[in-house]
Structure formats: structure tokens, C-alpha cells
Amino acid sequence: MIFENLPTTPRSEELIDKAFSRAARAGRAKSGLEAQESMLQTAANILSDNVQNVVTAWPDFETVDPFYYELADAVLRRQGTFASKNDDLEGDGGVDTLRQSLANLTWAGRQIKELHREYISKLRRSNVDTARKHRKQAFARMADIIEQVEEDLLRVSEARDALKNLPDVRPDEPAIVVAGYPNVGKSSFVNRVTRASNEIASYPFTTKGVQLGHFERNRIRYQIIDTPGLLDRPEAERNDIERQAVSALEHLADAVLFVVDASGDCGYPLDAQLELRDEMQGRFEVPVLTICNKSDRSTDVDADAFMSVTEDEGVDDVLDMAVDAVGFEPDIPPSRRE
């Protein structure tokens, strides 16, 4: 997952202490002007490299898959502590605000390098006492720059903590999203078709963890995803952030299995279930298949397929239908011809 291995972001005070303490050690190893130059070089390298490493560790949001872009934006906008603490900072607390903070860190790294060039020239034209004064001036100005981006470092750290545990969904692999009201058998279906212990991943918009499973057909790995708390109720009952999370799923899904319970044992009338199904069909630009579960109890609905997970009837047929609906064709290079 693109956010999983992001490194921790140092705080401004921590970064300044690290730079100046190592600079002091570097200076003790030398003497005279050489010691002052070594201290300046060490501090500048540590400060500029560390803030730039924070920036380069993040993916380029211009090229991030739309699924992860919208999901990250929704997560960060939902996280109230990420919203701008600085009235001068533009953005709504989402990806745009994060990108501005990363840009501010890039600016800080460049400013540190400029200061190094400015003061190294002064040092080389000075005696030892004057060089020491210039080096202390440079340290003070470098510390001031890092303190100017203190909020940006905190903001990037908060963003990293918010995003690092998102579900490991792979946009380059075919994905089948399972939808439908609660208690219609979605989780049981996912458990059955993956035949394994599925990952229950954190998803910041749902009351329960996302269930993410995998299965293979013809050596192709398919993802199958159940998102309780998002696709189990009408859009009118979702808030703006949850709607954006559903938009992210629209980028991900290659097919949707909408599971209904015609018997009504789930606690929701069939008419309401079909209204939610119709909403999904109008929103997702991929096949939305109506799957009647608990067919051993009732088949009184017009559906694309019928199954009973508890009785193990029709489940494999539903999975085959989903694979056909996805129609995934891997990019295989043509065989070489003489």
C-alpha cells in the first residue's frame, strides 16, 4: 500500500537538536576555520536532507491512482486535527493542504542550502573569531527556517498516521465490491468464496472493519471487498465524507455484487433493498449484479443469480458470474515470432 511505509516525520525541535549536536561533534574533530566550515556543512546537510526526505517519501499525488487520491483526501478532511491551524494556509484539510505543507518543507530545504552557500563564502573570507560569529548567525537563521515550518512538519506527521493503516487495496488488480443492506449474508459470502481468513482492515468511514479477501481464477487474483457502513444504506444517510469514500470505491470497482434477502429475515423490506440496488446501478459505471441470497428461504425477486451461502448452493456460480462481468484481461506481451 502506497502509504504503509511512510517514515515518521521529525518535529522541528528534534530536527534542530539533531543537526546542531552532530555539527558540534564534527567541529570538535577539527580546528580553526576548518572546524567552523565542518559545523556549518554538517548542520546544513542534516536539516536540508531531513526535510527533503520527508517530502520525497510521499507519493506524487499527480500520479496516485484516483481511488487512493479520493480516499486519502476524504480521510484527511475527516481528521479534524489535520485542518489548518494557520489562518494563512489554504486548503480544506485534505490532500491540497498536505501538498502545500510538503511544498513548504521543500522551500525550507532550499532555504537552508542557500544559507549554507551564503555563509560558507563569508567563513572563507574571515578569521577564526569572525568565522565563529558567522557560523552562529547561520545556525540561528537555519533554526528560524525550521521553526517556520513546524506546523507543516506536524501536519505531515498527522497525515502519515491517518493514512498508514488504510486497507491494502490494489487498484491494478480486478476488484469486486459487495454491497447490500446489513444481515443479507455479504460477509458470509466473502468468507466462503475466499476460503481463508480474510483481512479485516481499518476504514475510517465505517462502523466495522472492511473485509478484504482474494480468490484466483485462471491464475488471476481478484479482490473482493465488503465495506459495512458505506454501501449498506442509502446515500441520503451518508455524510459528505462518506459520499467521497463511495466515490473512491467507484474508481476501484470492476463489478458490484448487490446481495438481497428476499425473505426479509435481514430486517429490511425487499422494496428498500431494491431501491438501494437501483441507486448503486445509477452511480457505478460497472456491472451491478443482483444476487439473491438465502434462496432456500425465498426466491421471490427478479435477480441475476440465486444462492444460499448457508446451504452452499449456487455460490460458485455467482463467483463465476462476477468474474465474467469483470472481464479482466491481463496485459500479456505478444509472443515473439521469428
Side-chain angles (χ1 to χ4, degrees):
M1 205 274 288
I2 60 175
F3 304 115
E4 183 178 12
N5 296 317
L6 289 171
T8 56
T9 304
R11 297 187 176 244
S12 57
E13 182 179 358
E14 172 191 350
L15 190 51
I16 292 168
D17 288 347
K18 175 182 177 182
F20 292 167
S21 62
R22 290 195 183 178
R25 288 200 299 270
R28 287 194 294 270
K30 298 179 182 180
S31 61
L33 285 174
E34 189 178 8
Q36 301 305 312
E37 289 187 21
S38 179
M39 292 175 70
L40 181 61
Q41 179 77 57
T42 299
N45 285 347
I46 289 174
L47 292 174
S48 62
D49 289 351
N50 273 266
V51 294
Q52 192 56 42
N53 288 342
V54 169
V55 176
T56 56
W58 283 83
D60 181 358
F61 281 99
E62 293 289 342
T63 60
V64 165
D65 185 273
F67 165 71
Y68 271 123
Y69 185 99
E70 287 212 33
L71 189 57
D73 189 60
V75 170
L76 297 181
R77 289 199 298 116
R78 182 179 184 272
Q79 181 184 343
T81 56
F82 185 76
S84 172
K85 301 181 182 72
N86 184 339
D87 292 338
D88 296 329
L89 185 64
E90 298 177 358
D92 58 2
V95 166
D96 285 345
T97 303
L98 170 60
R99 292 174 70 180
Q100 185 174 347
S101 285
L102 292 171
N104 291 346
L105 296 183
T106 297
W107 167 84
R110 290 173 179 167
Q111 290 296 111
I112 296 291
K113 290 180 178 179
E114 286 292 331
L115 281 175
H116 171 258
R117 284 192 287 268
E118 176 186 342
Y119 278 90
I120 202 71
S121 177
K122 291 181 179 181
L123 261 61
R124 289 171 179 171
R125 300 194 305 267
S126 306
N127 59 38
V128 174
D129 289 339
T130 304
R132 185 179 294 109
K133 291 178 182 178
H134 286 319
R135 190 264 303 163
K136 289 181 177 180
Q137 288 175 359
F139 276 19
R141 292 179 64 182
M142 288 178 182
D144 182 62
I145 289 171
I146 297 301
E147 288 169 356
Q148 286 184 56
V149 294
E150 179 179 7
E151 292 291 343
D152 297 292
L153 289 167
L154 289 172
R155 195 171 290 109
V156 171
S157 178
E158 291 168 358
R160 179 252 186 192
D161 291 344
L163 299 177
K164 67 180 180 179
N165 292 322
L166 287 180
D168 185 17
V169 178
R170 302 181 183 180
D172 59 332
E173 292 184 354
I176 299 166
V177 172
V178 182
Y181 269 94
N183 305 319
V184 296
K186 302 189 301 294
S187 296
S188 298
F189 172 72
V190 173
N191 282 329
R192 165 63 176 79
V193 299
T194 56
R195 300 179 184 274
S197 177
N198 298 319
E199 173 188 356
I200 304 297
S202 172
Y203 207 107
F205 314 99
T206 60
T207 55
K208 300 178 181 179
V210 165
Q211 193 167 15
L212 174 63
H214 305 89
F215 66 91
E216 287 194 3
R217 282 289 190 278
N218 300 322
R219 292 183 291 184
I220 298 172
R221 193 175 93 142
Y222 292 81
Q223 303 170 103
I224 186 162
I225 304 159
D226 177 22
T227 57
L230 272 185
L231 299 180
D232 58 2
R233 54 198 168 98
E235 181 169 356
E237 297 180 13
R238 305 182 195 117
N239 59 39
D240 289 342
I241 303 297
E242 290 170 333
R243 291 190 187 103
Q244 185 171 350
V246 174
S247 294
L249 290 171
E250 290 176 38
H251 293 292
L252 177 70
D254 295 294
V256 176
L257 296 182
F258 191 89
V259 182
V260 300
D261 173 9
S263 72
D265 289 349
C266 65
Y268 299 91
L270 182 59
D271 287 348
Q273 296 180 58
L274 295 178
E275 286 179 9
L276 181 58
R277 187 274 316 273
D278 293 344
E279 179 184 297
M280 295 288 172
Q281 288 177 331
R283 178 153 192 170
F284 283 81
E285 296 182 359
V286 297
V288 177
L289 305 178
T290 303
I291 309 300
C292 176
N293 188 30
K294 306 180 186 179
S295 60
D296 54 314
R297 301 181 189 179
S298 176
T299 58
D300 190 19
V301 62
D302 184 13
D304 295 293
F306 298 86
M307 69 178 181
S308 172
V309 176
T310 57
E311 300 298 320
D312 198 21
E313 295 176 353
V315 176
D316 289 333
D317 292 338
V318 168
L319 205 61
D320 290 339
M321 180 180 292
V323 169
D324 290 340
V326 169
F328 181 76
E329 295 183 4
D331 293 330
I332 301 175
S335 59
R336 294 183 179 179
R337 297 180 180 179
E338 298 295 335

